[in-house]
Amino acid sequence: MLYILLSICCSVAVSIMLKLAKRYHIDVLQAVTWNYSTAILLTWIIFKPHWVSLSVAPVNNLLGLGVLLPVLFVILGASVTANGIVRTDVAQRLSLFIPILASYFVFGENLHLIKIVGILLGVVAVLFSIPWGKSGGKAAKGGWFYLLIVFVGMGVIDVLFKQLSAFKTVPYTSLLFMVFVLCFICAVIMLVIKIASSKTKFSFPHILIGWALGIANFGNILFYLKAHQALASKPSIVFTAMNIGVIALGTLVGLFVFNEKLSMLNKIGIALSLIAVIVIFNF
């Protein structure tokens, strides 16, 4: 439970930084790129990982995460532009269905009735927590494609991390290090292309911003993996609690830090999320 709580806090911290980035016109791709350099350094200093032979590593999982994690940051930005924040948030949160289904069909978890009720409560809580009453703007032509990528991408990332945490041949710290290195390489390639096409200019302050973002992102992924290891036989608990927790804490931060307004539906959603967590963890 502690690992999930720490991962939730780090995840919300990342969201806060990205929200502030938009407010202060910060190039998200530059910040995201340098965030991975911090994650690499922290992993190296704290865990002293070794770069292992690809012949014994889960190459497909590593490559999938190494590409999906940085690319999805860019897709999220494109989706917000094309579809609005509300529609994009709906797609992101509903991705919960993919890892939950994977818990049953891929990881062979036994989902008894009470746990299914808790998961369904969590899904309802997610839907209720989204600010449906706010205008998200009209979706641009073809914008549905971005939403589909966000929905599938977020769900696939959750599943890939679960598979990575279950891999026993190589220490998870070494796998985490390799993921961050691959993410950094992919992000640098995207950034170079963007700079070469004159869509942005290199800015030193973005390195400092990226380093701060990297500390929170490192904690988010590290504790998420540890949670899956601690609850190896119950992946649905981690998947559901993370999504519910991020929504609940994120909503509270929005209310008290950013002075966002909550509708009655949002308040019901927070209450349902707490009930769902209790049901999932105690039955």
Side-chain angles (χ1 to χ4, degrees):
M1 179 64 178
L2 176 61
Y3 291 139
I4 293 177
L5 179 61
L6 290 172
S7 184
I8 289 170
C9 291
C10 290
S11 178
V12 172
V14 170
S15 297
I16 292 172
M17 291 181 190
L18 290 176
K19 184 166 185 173
L20 291 174
K22 182 181 179 182
R23 176 182 296 181
Y24 294 106
H25 307 291
I26 293 169
D27 185 352
V28 173
L29 179 56
Q30 289 195 53
V32 167
T33 299
W34 300 116
N35 119 85
Y36 288 120
S37 68
T38 304
I40 291 170
L41 182 62
L42 288 174
T43 306
W44 180 264
I45 293 174
I46 296 173
F47 299 110
K48 303 293 190 298
H50 299 284
W51 188 274
V52 300
S53 171
L54 293 179
S55 62
V56 296
V59 177
N60 291 337
N61 292 77
L62 293 174
L63 289 176
L65 289 169
V67 173
L68 276 177
L69 285 170
V71 167
L72 209 57
F73 271 112
V74 178
I75 298 298
L76 282 169
S79 181
V80 169
T81 301
N83 305 289
I85 295 175
V86 173
R87 293 185 180 91
T88 302
D89 201 27
V90 170
Q92 186 176 350
R93 297 313 171 190
L94 288 183
S95 67
L96 169 68
F97 283 110
I98 295 176
I100 289 299
L101 291 174
S103 297
Y104 181 76
F105 292 106
V106 178
F107 303 117
E109 182 180 358
N110 182 22
L111 299 178
H112 54 72
L113 180 60
I114 296 180
K115 186 177 290 186
I116 292 174
V117 170
I119 291 171
L120 291 176
L121 278 175
V123 173
V124 174
V126 169
L127 293 174
F128 277 23
S129 299
I130 294 169
W132 296 98
K134 296 181 180 179
S135 175
K138 293 183 178 180
K141 184 178 180 181
W144 64 269
F145 186 63
Y146 290 128
L147 293 176
L148 180 61
I149 294 177
V150 170
F151 172 78
V152 175
M154 284 294 185
V156 170
I157 284 174
D158 277 350
V159 175
L160 290 175
F161 269 127
K162 166 57 186 172
Q163 291 178 325
L164 204 67
S165 70
F167 195 77
K168 303 300 182 184
T169 306
V170 180
Y172 79 93
T173 51
S174 294
L175 295 175
L176 188 61
F177 179 74
M178 295 172 75
V179 167
F180 287 141
V181 169
L182 291 172
C183 286
F184 183 61
I185 293 172
C186 181
V188 166
I189 292 173
M190 290 192 296
L191 181 58
V192 169
I193 292 174
K194 191 174 181 180
I195 293 175
S197 60
S198 301
K199 293 182 178 179
T200 190
K201 292 183 179 180
F202 174 79
S203 172
F204 180 77
H206 281 89
I207 297 179
L208 301 178
I209 295 167
W211 287 347
L213 181 64
I215 295 174
N217 194 31
F218 169 78
N220 175 30
I221 295 176
L222 173 66
F223 293 127
Y224 186 68
L225 280 173
K226 281 184 170 291
H228 270 303
Q229 289 184 318
L231 297 167
S233 63
K234 301 176 181 178
S236 65
I237 290 180
V238 181
F239 293 139
T240 307
M242 270 298 299
N243 279 272
I244 296 170
V246 168
I247 280 287
L249 181 58
T251 303
L252 292 175
V253 168
L255 177 64
F256 294 107
V257 177
F258 294 102
N259 297 317
E260 296 178 355
K261 302 299 181 181
L262 284 180
S263 66
M264 180 57 66
L265 203 63
N266 299 153
K267 294 176 182 177
I268 294 174
I270 293 175
L272 285 176
S273 69
L274 297 176
I275 295 172
V277 170
I278 293 173
V279 170
I280 291 170
F281 272 94
N282 291 279
F283 294 95

